[in-house]
Amino acid sequence: MYAEMITRVNKLEDEINKYNLNISKVKWYELLASIAYWYKRGNKDESLIIKIIKDTKPQFSEKEIKSAYNAYLDFKFYV
């Protein structure tokens, strides 16, 4: 069970290449964590999360945020 979860979490890194992003793994996980934080607090609308992240973490592009949002949803509904 835990091995599957670790494998799934590690596959989140593959999404960086899938979406052709120029972002470090550390920044990618920071972005995913931010999206998870806001999502779990009831902000489930993609456009709202994009706005929140752009306002609070302007270092991330809209493409990066959208890609991370989609990756988070895929991960969230898989586990």
Side-chain angles (χ1 to χ4, degrees):
M1 178 174 142
Y2 292 112
E4 286 179 41
M5 178 61 91
I6 291 168
T7 299
R8 185 68 182 139
V9 168
N10 288 337
K11 285 186 177 187
L12 282 171
E13 293 174 11
D14 296 339
E15 302 294 303
I16 296 170
N17 292 328
K18 175 183 171 184
Y19 292 109
N20 196 27
L21 302 175
N22 185 21
I23 189 171
S24 72
K25 291 176 185 177
V26 171
K27 292 290 184 186
W28 178 246
Y29 283 118
E30 175 188 350
L31 181 54
L32 287 168
S34 296
I35 289 169
Y37 175 86
W38 291 110
Y39 191 94
K40 290 183 179 229
R41 276 149 188 79
N43 302 296
K44 297 181 183 197
D45 181 67
E46 180 182 16
S47 60
L48 179 58
I49 286 183
I50 290 170
K51 182 183 179 338
I52 292 169
I53 300 294
K54 283 176 121 180
D55 289 346
T56 59
K57 296 182 178 277
Q59 69 269 28
F60 295 112
S61 70
E62 189 165 330
K63 178 183 177 183
E64 291 168 339
I65 299 166
K66 284 182 176 184
S67 300
Y69 180 83
N70 290 326
Y72 172 73
L73 288 183
D74 289 345
F75 176 78
K76 179 185 173 319
F77 291 118
Y78 175 79
V79 291

